């Protein structure tokens, strides 16, 4: 690529040589994600992957796409870009696992005002770390420089993932029944949702994001807000091996009221015991500072529960043990009762 230079394109604000440097810097991170099935490295026109279908009777591909949202503004203000990629991966693979599919590969897309190779490489380092946590490969991506459309320091990060599951092993909520138990899997805090409200409440453009706060057990607001979204792929797969899992919901934007019903049949309702929740301090600080009604909190944020599993009541101990063994604390937060497919908070 040494002969690839366009003075005219550079004068228009696009430095293609910076793009080439970025690719070289990110290669070491991408290599960490290589798993069996990867056919091509980055740099080609398409990412190639050959899935292992051995033992599968009816393999089904499952895809998910998402972005990090306005949480990116926190990363920009702190000039810390090496964790935001974990969020991008998490928002996709945590959706895929809800039907029982194992993510195979991920591709990212970065739109940036001015291509700074080191900044882009830091973002990709986070993406690679997310892929390692999810057990999938980073097989491609795109970095697009947008001069005149975005400010030089601005960027956005999104991506998509493809996974696979044998049809007979898909999560099947038709088997769900009254009396089944709802497990809450602990979150890392706010994850990547509701940040337009979060930014408004804390006025982050003018806040001291590095000041330790007693309300956050000595953590700074910036540290807490930038904590990456937890990736639940390996824990949920472990729970599926150990127990009968009838429903899985990723608690993202829309909180409890929007997301839990997505794994329920219309004839059943989720009854959640609020006293069983371990709500991290950031949510209390957010609610108090913004004077936010409790229902709005549960209808916007995860409230310390990043993922919900509905398991057979006879398999609760086995499921919790499998989740804990995979490094994901879980606790009983409710049960399934006859109803209309909604959520009751008690």
């Amino acid at each position: 690529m040494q002969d690839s230079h366009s003075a005219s394109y550079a004068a228009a604000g696009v430095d293609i040589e910076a793009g080439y440097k970025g690719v070289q810097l990110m290669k070491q991170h991408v290599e960490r994600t290589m798993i069996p099935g990867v056919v091509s490295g980055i740099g080609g026109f398409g990412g190639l992957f050959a899935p292992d279908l051995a033992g599968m009777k009816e393999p089904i591909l499952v895809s998910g796409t998402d972005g990090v949202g306005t949480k990116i503004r926190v990363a920009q203000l702190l000039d810390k870009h090496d964790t935001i990629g974990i969020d991008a991966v998490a928002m996709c693979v945590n959706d895929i696992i809800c039907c029982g599919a194992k993510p195979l590969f991920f591709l990212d897309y970065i739109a940036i005002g001015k291509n700074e190779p080191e900044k882009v490489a830091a973002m990709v380092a986070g993406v690679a770390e997310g892929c390692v946590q999810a057990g999938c490969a980073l097989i491609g991506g795109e970095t697009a420089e947008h001069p005149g459309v975005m400010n030089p320091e601005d960027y956005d990060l999104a991506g998509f993932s493809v996974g696979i599951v044998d049809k007979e092993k898909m999560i099947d909520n038709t088997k769900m029944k009254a009396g089944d138990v709802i497990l809450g899997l602990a979150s890392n805090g706010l994850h990547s949702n509701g940040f337009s409200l979060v930014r408004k409440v804390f006025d982050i453009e003018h806040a001291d994001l590095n000041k330790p706060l007693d309300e956050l057990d000595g953590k700074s607001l910036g540290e807490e807000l930038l904590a990456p979204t937890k990736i639940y792929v390996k824990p949920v797969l472990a729970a599926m091996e150990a127990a009968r899992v009838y429903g899985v919901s990723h608690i993202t934007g829309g909180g409890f009221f929007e997301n839990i019903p997505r794994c329920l049949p219309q004839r059943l309702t989720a009854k959640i015991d609020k006293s069983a929740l371990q709500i991290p301090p950031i949510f209390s600080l957010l609610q108090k500072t913004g004077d936010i009604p409790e229902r709005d909190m549960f209808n916007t944020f995860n409230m310390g529960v990043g993922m919900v599993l509905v398991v057979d009541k006879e398999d609760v101990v086995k499921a919790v043990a499998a989740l804990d063994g995979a490094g994901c604390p879980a606790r009983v937060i409710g049960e399934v009762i006859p109803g209309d497919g909604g959520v009751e908070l008690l």
Side-chain angles (χ1 to χ4, degrees):
M1 299 294 185
Q2 293 180 350
D3 295 330
S4 180
H5 174 73
S6 170
S8 299
Y9 211 4
V14 177
D15 186 349
I16 56 177
E17 291 178 295
Y20 300 145
K21 181 180 178 182
V23 171
Q24 291 302 314
L25 290 174
M26 68 179 68
K27 281 185 176 180
Q28 60 178 315
H29 306 299
V30 175
E31 288 173 359
R32 296 181 57 216
T33 76
M34 294 298 99
I35 61 175
V38 176
V39 177
S40 64
I42 61 171
F45 288 99
L48 307 181
F49 192 93
D52 181 4
L53 305 180
M56 288 193 175
K57 296 178 181 179
E58 193 173 352
I60 295 177
L61 295 178
V62 183
S63 60
T65 185
D66 209 338
V68 183
T70 62
K71 180 175 182 174
I72 280 178
R73 184 57 183 157
V74 182
Q76 292 171 347
L77 289 170
L78 290 171
D79 194 24
K80 180 173 170 48
H81 314 285
D82 59 349
T83 62
I84 205 76
I86 300 175
D87 293 284
V89 175
M91 295 302 291
C92 297
V93 299
N94 284 346
D95 282 353
I96 285 176
I97 195 62
C98 287
C99 68
K102 181 186 185 302
L104 297 174
F105 56 82
F106 185 87
L107 286 87
D108 61 23
Y109 177 82
I110 299 170
I112 191 165
K114 178 177 176 55
N115 192 337
E116 299 177 40
E118 290 77 13
K119 180 188 288 188
V120 171
M123 286 183 252
V124 175
V127 173
E129 173 59 27
C131 288
V132 169
Q133 292 182 24
C136 66
L138 177 58
I139 63 171
E142 173 69 11
T143 301
E145 198 167 12
H146 288 176
V149 175
M150 306 174 76
N151 291 325
E153 70 278 6
D154 287 345
Y155 64 85
D156 195 14
L157 172 61
F160 79 93
S161 184
V162 173
I164 193 167
V165 61
D166 201 348
K167 186 175 182 180
E168 65 180 17
K169 293 185 178 181
M170 289 180 63
I171 301 292
D172 182 5
N173 72 358
T174 63
K175 299 178 180 179
M176 196 182 299
K177 57 192 178 300
D180 287 334
V181 173
I182 301 173
L183 298 179
L185 281 56
S187 73
N188 280 341
L190 289 165
H191 283 181
S192 301
N193 302 104
F195 268 79
S196 292
L197 177 57
V198 170
R199 291 184 300 112
K200 177 182 178 182
V201 168
F202 291 130
D203 188 19
I204 68 164
E205 297 294 328
H206 305 99
D208 184 352
L209 296 178
N210 294 305
K211 178 183 178 181
L213 298 177
D214 292 339
E215 298 93 331
L216 298 178
D217 299 326
K219 289 184 178 181
S220 69
L221 183 60
E223 182 182 4
E224 183 65 44
L225 298 186
L226 210 54
T229 305
K230 184 175 289 189
I231 291 176
Y232 296 99
V233 172
K234 294 178 182 178
V236 172
L237 289 174
M240 289 174 60
E241 286 293 324
R244 288 166 288 182
V245 179
Y246 301 139
V248 182
S249 281
H250 183 198
I251 310 303
T252 58
F256 281 43
F257 290 106
E258 179 178 328
N259 291 293
I260 294 179
R262 295 168 72 175
C263 79
L264 302 174
Q266 288 294 320
R267 55 187 169 79
L268 297 173
T269 287
K271 184 173 72 173
I272 304 296
D273 179 5
K274 290 185 294 184
S275 67
L277 304 178
Q278 289 187 324
I279 302 176
I282 183 62
F283 296 100
S284 300
L285 179 61
L286 179 62
Q287 183 175 7
K288 179 180 178 181
T289 304
D291 192 24
I292 303 172
E294 181 183 71
R295 181 178 176 83
D296 286 359
M297 291 294 296
F298 278 92
N299 202 37
T300 307
F301 304 106
N302 68 61
M303 303 303 285
V305 178
M307 182 85 61
V308 160
L309 269 61
V310 180
V311 302
D312 192 287
K313 61 182 178 181
E314 297 180 357
D315 290 353
V316 173
V317 174
K318 291 186 289 186
V320 171
L323 291 163
D324 286 344
C328 184
R331 58 195 295 118
V332 175
I333 63 170
E335 65 175 333
V336 176
I337 62 173
D340 60 0
V343 175
E344 292 183 8
L345 287 177
L346 303 175

